[in-house]
Amino acid sequence: MADPVDKLSRSLGKAIGAPVVLERPGDPTHGDYATTVALQLAGQLRRPPREIAEELALAARALDDVASASVAGPGFVNLELADTWFTDTLAGVLADSDRFGGDSATTRERVQVEMVSANPTGPITVASARNGAYGDCVARLLSFAGHAVEREYYYNDAGGQMEKFRESVDAVRRGEEPPEDGYHGDYIAGLAKTPGDPVPRMLESMEASLERFRIHFDTYERQSVVETEIPEAIALLDTFEEDGALWARTSAHGDEKDRVLVRTDGAPTYFAADAAYVRRKYAKGFDRLVYVLGADHHGYVGRLQALADMLGHPRESLEVLIYQLVHLTKAGEATKMSKRRGDVVFLDEFVEEIGVDAARWYLVSRGHDQTIEIDIDLAAEKTAKNPVFYVQYAHARIAGILRNAPEGSGAWTSASSAVGPLAPEERDLVKRIAEFPGIAAEAAVRRAPHAIPTYAIRLADDFHRFYHHHKVLGSPEQEFRLALCAAAKSVVARCLDLVGVEAPDSM
């Protein structure tokens, strides 16, 4: 079904001839929804806002979905909706089932999301896990919106860092300490016990960790393969020679400065490999490229978008999503992280401590542009104080209600039987459910999955409040309330899935 709130907004907008944004008032006595459009139009139309508001209220009263409309203050319009809007909305949610809120994209695209991409020099760290959790949730949101999404992992299988890694393992095999600027930690000793190149085994271990973390990659790309295509990529760029080096004229394509492609000694730069990689991605037919990179990669935005432009693609079709750091605390003390020193917190340890569900939830519960501080003790709790447990418990409680429903019940539709006046808690729960399409669509467009956990907590709040005040099984309103429970359960499950968390039927 169409977004029920957006549908109502459009009806009102058509009536007044201007876009209308509806919001839920903080005070429930002000109605179900309110709009300030009259205040916004007053200057443009050069008319008193209350006069415009009165016209909008009159138009609203003529709509079947509106029970009453009133004007308050300098020009606020408050709407109370008819019960039929709630029952029709609920019926639409049930009819759409698990696609409710999805397929919001007006233009469907082929999108590649490249994430994690840590070099295979050690186990996945919590920092890289945030990259993966964030990128995977963005991919889930884009897919739910209707895009065709591929997840890719790009890794360096050659070069200086990889040689340091191999030297570190070889040193331990000889009974020596790894080089000071090499790699340290128990995992190095573990790799040293088996002969052969440690890189493939390290990569296999990293893949296994990510799969356990519910991140599945469709493709893996190696830098050594990409680098073979550097000459073809450079031939397509806007270049010039200066001081014996070959440069890309990226400043003419939106970058802050030009970039060196080939050094004076003839060696290609990392940027040259970036050019080959961007070309390779677009050649696969993707409409949009999404990179998920750490906080130290802000400078990559302009240069990568310049490459897209030079290769004949819109700058905005290449996105660089920058995420901030993760700080862990346990028993009130910070946990330090350093991949080379060996005192790093690895993803597997993090998951063993708090579980996959809590790890996924906490790593996307804040905006990617904010540093996250995770209290390990709280994240490991199995109580309502832990938000992921609280939301999962709402799903499990609803599942229990539906399991215990009499056989043959749960077939309610908006046309099946008359429903008496809805209680405030019933209306609030339907309104919260109705918000989901807008929340999911905006989260996908803004690449902001943290909006989903925030919304899920509010939905769980509204369900628990409804359940506390109203009997479901055995009540005169049993069929309607079972339908309301089923709709809430479906949306809670979808929220949990969008952040990679399981929706248990019992706890």
Side-chain angles (χ1 to χ4, degrees), residues 229-248:
E229 300 176 0
I230 286 177
E232 290 89 341
I234 289 178
L236 299 172
L237 302 181
D238 180 6
T239 61
F240 65 95
E241 292 187 18
E242 186 176 286
D243 299 329
L246 182 66
W247 296 70

Side-chain angles (χ1 to χ4, degrees), residues 8 59 78 101 154 209 293 303 320 327 338 347 361 365 368 377 394 428 441 445 451-452 466 473 483 492:
L8 180 60
N78 298 327
Y154 175 79
S209 295
L293 300 175
R303 72 184 73 172
V320 181
H327 298 303
S338 169
L347 172 60
W361 177 282
S365 60
H368 60 281
D377 297 319
D428 286 345
V445 169
I452 301 299
F466 154 76
L473 301 180
V492 171

Side-chain angles (χ1 to χ4, degrees), residues 237-240 242 246-261 269 271 274 298-307 310 315:
L237 302 181
D238 180 6
T239 61
F240 65 95
E242 186 176 286
L246 182 66
W247 296 70
R249 193 174 281 105
T250 51
S251 63
H253 299 268
D255 194 9
E256 61 182 358
K257 62 181 181 180
D258 295 326
R259 308 286 175 177
V260 177
L261 288 164
T269 63
F271 182 68
D274 288 335
H298 278 284
Y300 277 69
V301 180
R303 72 184 73 172
L304 291 176
Q305 289 187 331
L307 284 174
M310 283 192 282
R315 287 175 54 83

Side-chain angles (χ1 to χ4, degrees), residues 441-457:
E442 185 176 3
V445 169
R446 293 178 54 209
R447 318 301 191 234
H450 66 279
I452 301 299
T454 300
Y455 166 80
I457 292 170

Side-chain angles (χ1 to χ4, degrees), residues 260-269:
V260 177
L261 288 164
V262 182
R263 300 184 182 93
T264 55
D265 62 0
T269 63

